[in-house]
């Protein structure tokens, strides 16, 4: 499944965007916490979506001479995007986590070396959790209203904060095993 296709359709469904705007959206505080796309992925996908009739592209002039391609969603693109949104798919296989893979093979390290890794990972996940919680508190002092794009952003950010908090709790349990 081309999931990037639906991410782009969703962004353009909210408002027409240039390729640059789409790339910036993937760097935005909300999307970057769970989805990433490179320039080299976005532009070929945009070309496919135009060819498939999901998006339309028009050239707009910005400033004196600069031309930009502005993408808008078509009726067919909106229909397919909404169909994708309603599709209740089974959860994906476990995502790849390099540190958990290292943990699986931790018996090959000395207890001191592995404990250093555990503590380093804990510091990193605490920093990420606190960073995300700070964004959540600043950007969303109250839970947004149902039916707004902000509610989806809030819920994804809330999930990211919870994910990091859960990871820290797991690391604490691992550390406790080694400190006994």
């Amino acid at each position: 499944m081309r999931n990037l296709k639906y991410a782009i359709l969703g962004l353009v469904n909210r408002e027409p965007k240039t390729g640059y705007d789409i790339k910036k959206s993937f760097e935005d505080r909300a999307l970057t916490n769970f989805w990433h796309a490179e320039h080299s992925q976005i532009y070929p996908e945009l070309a496919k979506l135009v060819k498939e009739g999901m998006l339309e592209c028009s050239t707009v002039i910005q400033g004196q001479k600069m031309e930009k391609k502005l993408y808008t969603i078509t009726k067919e693109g909106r229909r397919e995007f909404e169909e994708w949104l309603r599709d209740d798919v089974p959860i994906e296989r476990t995502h790849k986590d390099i540190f958990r893979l290292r943990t699986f093979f931790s018996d090959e390290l000395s207890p001191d070396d592995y404990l250093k890794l555990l503590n380093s990972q804990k510091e990193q996940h605490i920093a990420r959790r606190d960073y995300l919680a700070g964004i959540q508190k600043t950007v969303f002092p109250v839970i947004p209203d149902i039916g707004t794009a902000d509610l989806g952003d809030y819920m994804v950010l809330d999930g990211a904060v919870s994910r990091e908090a859960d990871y820290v709790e797991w690391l604490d349990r691992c550390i406790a095993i080694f400190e006994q």
Side-chain angles (χ1 to χ4, degrees):
M1 175 180 279
R2 288 172 31 215
N3 289 313
L4 179 57
K5 167 184 179 174
Y6 298 105
I8 290 172
L9 287 173
L11 290 168
V12 176
N13 187 56
R14 285 188 172 170
E15 65 180 327
K17 291 188 179 296
T18 64
Y20 176 79
D21 295 334
I22 291 167
K23 173 65 178 135
K24 294 305 280 180
S25 293
F26 281 106
E27 296 167 359
D28 180 288
R29 63 171 164 69
L31 274 178
T32 195
N33 292 312
F34 66 95
W35 202 264
H36 177 75
E38 295 292 334
H39 179 274
S40 60
Q41 297 170 295
I42 294 168
Y43 285 92
E45 189 63 37
L46 284 168
K48 287 179 192 174
L49 290 168
V50 169
K51 186 176 181 181
E52 294 169 350
M54 302 288 149
L55 294 178
E56 291 177 342
C57 178
S58 59
T59 303
V60 294
I61 306 292
Q62 184 177 24
Q64 296 261 330
K65 297 180 181 179
M66 189 163 175
E67 291 185 357
K68 289 190 169 191
K69 291 181 179 180
L70 185 66
Y71 295 91
T72 55
I73 196 163
T74 63
K75 194 179 220 181
E76 177 62 19
R78 186 173 290 112
R79 184 200 60 73
E80 186 160 331
F81 174 66
E82 289 173 353
E83 185 177 302
W84 174 81
L85 279 174
R86 288 185 188 93
D87 189 15
D88 185 15
V89 297
I91 61 171
E92 293 184 16
R93 296 176 72 179
T94 303
H95 77 283
K96 297 174 183 174
D97 181 327
I98 294 168
F99 184 72
R100 287 182 196 246
L101 182 60
R102 286 189 175 127
T103 296
F104 185 78
F105 295 111
S106 63
D107 60 306
E108 298 295 327
L109 291 173
S110 73
D112 286 342
D113 285 343
Y114 184 62
L115 190 56
K116 286 177 191 172
L117 289 175
L118 284 168
N119 282 305
S120 174
Q121 286 291 307
K122 181 179 174 182
E123 287 175 20
Q124 292 175 60
H125 284 279
I126 287 172
R128 185 179 294 157
R129 179 201 62 201
D130 293 349
Y131 169 75
L132 294 169
I135 292 172
Q136 187 178 32
K137 186 182 260 185
T138 303
V139 176
F140 301 110
V142 297
I143 297 173
D145 293 331
I146 293 173
T148 64
D150 281 348
L151 180 60
D153 292 350
Y154 168 83
M155 291 188 299
V156 168
L157 186 56
D158 190 58
V161 172
S162 294
R163 176 192 66 224
E164 294 304 323
D166 289 344
Y167 210 103
V168 169
E169 287 179 25
W170 171 70
L171 290 166
D172 280 338
R173 291 191 303 273
C174 293
I175 290 167
I177 290 168
F178 277 80
E179 290 180 339
Q180 288 179 350

